[in-house]
Amino acid sequence: EKHEQIIMTTIKMNIARSATDLLSKPLHHILVDAGVGSRKHTLSLVHSGRVCLNGEIAKDRFLTANLSVGDVVTLDGKVVIPEDLRYLLVHKPRGVLCSMNDEHDWKKELVGQRPLLSSLIPSHISERLGHAGRLDLDSEGLVLLTNDRRIMNLVIEPSGFCRKQYVVTVMGSPSEADLDFLRGGPKIGGMGQLLPCRINVLEKIAPT
């Protein structure tokens, strides 16, 4: 029942690699693409001498490989093969933490007590997925989960192609001057520089 409500679309496909994907990549990036772990973890694997390139131990973090021209990367003697690209469009309900784990959450007393985004992924999906952007705990909406770092960066980057739209209910009634201030992309303490945006008032709710 949970997955019927949460998973809107699940797509597994091989996507034609862009020109940049066919270039040489750092070894730890190749390990990340294979679902081995995070960048930090895969860097440590390279430094520990467990990764080989074409039969030679590779300890240089700047060493690159190009699998499309025949380079072979191994981890503990096993050939590293990039995962198929996976894309999930997930509806995150209110109360679900937009994180794959909360072990390092600053609210230590809440660790393990809140449902995570990772709990919404069907059990048959084995790829290591990350979320492109995040929604607050008390908000709900569409979140993209994928192991395609190129697409993820395009969605996350403010200068990317993906326009985000939010429907927000606020306390009080902001003036047009207040809205114009936000539309202009102000600099706000604690948040930094905001980008210009479009704001439309959809409805004014009468007090009850």
Side-chain angles (χ1 to χ4, degrees):
E1 179 181 358
K2 175 179 66 175
H3 293 315
E4 290 177 355
Q5 296 174 351
I6 303 304
I7 304 299
M8 298 177 60
T9 303
T10 173
I11 308 171
K12 183 175 182 180
M13 60 175 62
N14 289 314
I15 291 187
R17 304 284 179 176
S18 68
T20 55
D21 289 328
L22 297 177
L23 298 177
S24 295
K25 292 182 178 182
L27 296 183
H28 69 282
H29 282 195
I30 293 174
L31 296 175
V32 170
D33 290 345
V36 172
S38 66
R39 290 190 182 186
K40 182 178 180 180
H41 175 62
T42 53
L43 270 174
S44 70
L45 294 176
V46 174
H47 290 159
S48 66
R50 295 172 59 186
V51 179
C52 291
L53 173 60
N54 299 327
E56 300 290 334
I57 296 177
K59 290 188 177 181
D60 185 352
R61 61 173 296 181
F62 298 106
L63 197 61
T64 62
N66 188 338
L67 302 185
S68 65
V69 299
D71 283 339
V72 177
V73 177
T74 60
L75 171 62
D76 296 334
K78 296 181 180 179
V79 176
V80 174
I81 301 175
E83 293 180 320
D84 288 335
L85 299 180
R86 171 80 77 165
Y87 308 84
L88 267 65
L89 293 177
V90 176
H91 178 266
K92 187 198 86 67
R94 295 181 183 181
V96 172
L97 187 66
C98 204
S99 176
M100 306 312 279
N101 72 71
D102 64 349
E103 293 178 0
H104 304 293
D105 194 277
W106 65 278
K107 294 183 178 179
K108 299 299 183 183
E109 70 278 5
L110 296 179
V111 169
Q113 298 184 25
R114 297 168 295 186
L116 304 176
L117 203 57
S118 55
S119 69
L120 307 181
I121 301 175
S123 58
H124 68 273
I125 294 178
S126 60
E127 292 87 357
R128 179 186 173 89
L129 305 180
H131 48 90
R134 64 178 66 244
L135 294 174
D136 291 337
L137 181 66
D138 293 326
S139 63
E140 60 181 306
L142 185 69
V143 177
L144 170 64
L145 303 180
T146 182
N147 56 351
D148 187 335
R149 292 186 295 109
R150 181 171 59 90
I151 291 297
M152 186 180 294
N153 289 335
L154 286 173
V155 172
I156 293 174
E157 286 297 320
S159 58
F161 73 96
C162 185
R163 179 178 295 170
K164 289 84 172 176
Q165 180 173 298
Y166 304 90
V167 178
V168 181
T169 301
V170 300
M171 296 288 290
S173 182
S175 67
E176 196 62 28
D178 292 331
L179 297 178
D180 283 341
F181 174 74
L182 293 174
R183 290 181 180 117
K187 187 173 183 179
I188 298 179
M191 297 181 65
Q193 181 68 51
L194 304 183
L195 291 175
C197 64
R198 292 189 292 182
I199 301 177
N200 297 315
V201 178
L202 302 178
E203 180 184 9
K204 291 188 177 182
I205 304 173
T208 57

